[in-house]
Amino acid sequence: MPPEEMDVVLAKLPLRIGAYVPSDLLEEWFAPGTGMNPVSGKAIEAAKVYGRRFECEFEYYPDRMEGVFWKWVPAI
């Protein structure tokens, strides 16, 4: 699980601002022991579910080896 500080970050994340998490932490937080090269689908899905708890979207970018949480703005 992510540290409690991440809960605070996502709860207070302003609209259109991202919180970036490197691949190794995604695996450690969301799917320990599954390996990270590439990041497991289990870790990516768990990160998406976690983000939704805070009304955040999540996308993993393999070329950057990081995932991004952000709050989506429907009216832009």
Side-chain angles (χ1 to χ4, degrees):
M1 275 314 280
E4 287 182 23
E5 293 86 357
M6 194 64 183
D7 293 358
V8 174
V9 168
L10 295 187
K12 294 185 176 194
L13 193 66
L15 298 177
R16 300 176 58 208
I17 301 296
Y20 299 81
V21 181
S23 297
D24 61 325
L25 290 180
L26 288 173
E27 284 294 337
E28 182 180 321
W29 291 353
F30 299 109
T34 59
M36 66 159 277
N37 196 8
V39 170
S40 69
K42 181 178 177 182
I44 293 169
E45 286 307 309
K48 287 180 181 182
V49 169
Y50 172 73
R52 279 183 243 147
R53 289 180 35 206
F54 303 95
E55 300 179 350
C56 289
E57 302 288 326
F58 176 81
E59 186 70 36
Y60 179 69
Y61 297 93
D63 55 322
R64 297 180 350 208
M65 294 182 64
E66 67 184 5
V68 181
F69 293 95
W70 75 94
K71 290 194 178 168
W72 184 64
V73 182
I76 287 188

